[in-house]
Amino acid sequence: QVQLVESGGGLVQAGGSLRLSCAASVSIFSINVMGWYRQAPGKQRDLVATITSGGSTNYADSVKGRFTISRDSAKNTVYLQMNSLKPEDTAVYYCKTRTWSPALLGYLEAWGQGTLVTVSS
């Protein structure tokens, strides 16, 4: 089972930037999709961005043009660069992976513990 450790959250003023990191316990070459999700207080967990093993990316409309997801295979880490932050970006941000399992003929999913991002106005 993949272990994920997020870091980089914190308090930032509106308009500022943060970079989140998610370190995986296995080589990310074996991971099909890595992504970031967020959950604001009292709300459901929503997709922020994903990146495939081939480098294809996908973003929620609310973060397009402001957030960038990337991966460093040498460090087994996925990043989320967040610029022009807004108070509505305040949430716990979670890293998630999906890995195809030939033995199970299905995808295995793993979640990190989350890192809190607070954007003040």
Side-chain angles (χ1 to χ4, degrees):
Q1 180 72 348
V2 179
Q3 304 296 320
L4 303 170
V5 178
E6 299 111 329
S7 60
L11 173 64
V12 64
Q13 289 188 331
S17 299
L18 281 176
R19 188 177 79 156
L20 305 183
S21 300
C22 172
S25 60
V26 300
S27 170
I28 63 173
F29 282 115
S30 64
I31 299 173
N32 300 96
V33 184
M34 301 185 75
W36 289 95
Y37 291 71
R38 67 185 180 186
Q39 188 167 19
K43 296 189 176 181
Q44 67 182 19
R45 191 173 298 186
D46 292 326
L47 170 73
V48 176
T50 60
I51 185 166
T52 69
S53 55
S56 298
T57 58
N58 180 54
Y59 296 93
D61 288 342
S62 59
V63 306
K64 282 181 181 177
R66 299 188 299 122
F67 291 10
T68 302
I69 189 170
S70 62
R71 51 193 284 164
D72 185 336
S73 298
K75 296 182 178 181
N76 295 327
T77 299
V78 64
Y79 301 99
L80 186 68
Q81 178 67 44
M82 306 185 294
N83 299 327
S84 303
L85 283 160
K86 305 175 181 180
E88 51 264 43
D89 294 318
T90 294
V92 177
Y93 284 71
Y94 297 90
C95 180
K96 177 186 174 182
T97 61
R98 295 187 76 211
T99 306
W100 175 254
S101 170
L104 298 177
L105 293 178
Y107 284 98
L108 295 173
E109 296 185 344
W111 290 90
Q113 82 287 353
T115 185
L116 177 63
V117 172
T118 304
V119 184
S120 63
S121 58

